[in-house]
Amino acid sequence: MLARKISQAPHCSFPQALDAATLKAAYRFFDNPKVDLKGVLAPHIGQTLERIRQLPVVLVPQDTSEFNLTHLPATEGLGLGTGGNRHGFMIHSQLAVSPEGLPLGVLGMKTWVRPAEASGKKAKRKKLPIADKESVKWLEGHEQLVALKAHCKDTHIVGISDREGDIYDVFMVQRLEGVDWLVRATWNRRVEHEEQYLWQTVMVRAPLDDRIVAPCAQKRLPR
């Protein structure tokens, strides 16, 4: 019932979308320690897998979004963001889409906050193992696709990440047949080619496809 009511007004806050009794029930629901992200998302992932099983190929892009809630200073449990955001949280999501771009649903989601004491320690973080870095999200994302492959054996899954996902640890994980990984390169890595390095190898290869992407007109949405 709560999900139906919120979905009818997705652009509204809870007090705007819900009546007084339902709002109180919603706060109790979200404050219940037995209610967690994994449990809430599980039925949705199940429906997403049903849609995936109907297609021979599915793309799964993943990326991180940042929520800036500095306008809610009384909200607890938040942390640092980028730039001037000192009151927010991060969320890393995996969205399944058809090759034509039709959204099929979410396959994974991870949220976290950056503690204040982590500010200004970028150089130190580089020396940490990947398990202790935020970049472990890319490794976990690939592991998530491998785990979900068992539920859609006849579908070829292609995970997609931007340049932030060009991480050596991800390339080193064991590959599963039917799960590929497409990454926008950021490092000129060594490759098994006579040119030896990635950039040089790409430059001597003939283009496989050319696309012209028209710029989209920006439109300011009403508040």
Side-chain angles (χ1 to χ4, degrees):
M1 182 188 69
L2 181 60
R4 285 196 298 269
K5 286 183 175 294
I6 294 175
S7 66
Q8 292 169 2
H11 59 291
C12 296
S13 64
F14 287 164
Q16 293 172 324
L18 307 174
D19 57 62
T22 308
L23 178 62
K24 186 174 183 179
Y27 286 146
R28 285 178 177 173
F29 177 80
F30 292 121
D31 196 42
N32 189 331
K34 295 182 179 179
V35 177
D36 59 11
L37 179 61
K38 183 178 180 180
V40 171
L41 201 57
H44 173 80
I45 292 178
Q47 294 295 319
T48 302
L49 290 173
E50 286 288 342
R51 290 186 280 271
I52 287 177
R53 281 191 279 266
Q54 301 175 31
L55 299 175
V57 178
V58 167
L59 310 179
V60 185
Q62 60 173 311
D63 204 0
T64 305
S65 299
E66 176 181 341
F67 287 77
N68 188 339
L69 301 178
T70 52
H71 62 291
L72 300 174
T75 303
E76 300 177 350
L78 301 178
L80 297 176
T82 58
N85 178 13
R86 306 193 66 81
H87 199 64
F89 67 96
M90 316 296 289
I91 183 169
H92 189 77
S93 305
Q94 294 175 293
L95 177 66
V97 298
S98 72
E100 294 74 29
L102 177 66
L104 304 174
V106 174
L107 283 175
M109 189 175 291
K110 177 182 180 179
T111 63
W112 71 95
V113 297
R114 292 172 174 168
E117 56 269 22
S119 178
K121 297 182 180 180
K122 183 177 181 180
K124 183 179 180 180
R125 287 196 296 271
K126 290 183 177 181
K127 300 178 181 179
L128 296 174
I130 189 170
D132 297 330
K133 298 178 182 179
E134 285 188 6
S135 53
V136 72
K137 62 191 177 185
W138 303 105
L139 189 58
E140 293 171 343
H142 177 74
E143 293 172 348
Q144 173 81 350
L145 296 185
V146 170
L148 292 175
K149 175 63 178 175
H151 301 280
C152 41
K153 297 180 180 180
D154 297 327
T155 302
H156 188 170
I157 299 176
V158 182
I160 301 175
S161 70
D162 60 12
R163 295 175 62 180
E164 188 185 354
D166 185 356
I167 298 175
Y168 187 73
D169 300 77
V170 178
F171 297 144
M172 291 301 295
V173 298
Q174 184 176 0
R175 295 296 172 197
L176 181 69
E177 185 178 357
V179 179
D180 286 327
W181 194 248
L182 176 63
V183 183
R184 184 179 181 184
T186 189
W187 303 106
N188 191 18
R189 299 186 183 278
R190 289 289 297 268
V191 294
E192 292 183 352
H193 189 274
E194 61 183 12
E195 295 292 336
Q196 297 187 351
Y197 288 90
L198 180 60
W199 295 164
Q200 291 78 358
T201 300
V202 171
M203 293 301 295
V204 300
R205 297 285 293 262
L208 296 177
D209 188 33
D210 291 324
R211 298 291 180 96
I212 297 177
V213 181
C216 297
Q218 294 185 352
K219 180 179 180 182
R220 185 178 295 275
L221 298 177
R223 290 181 178 272

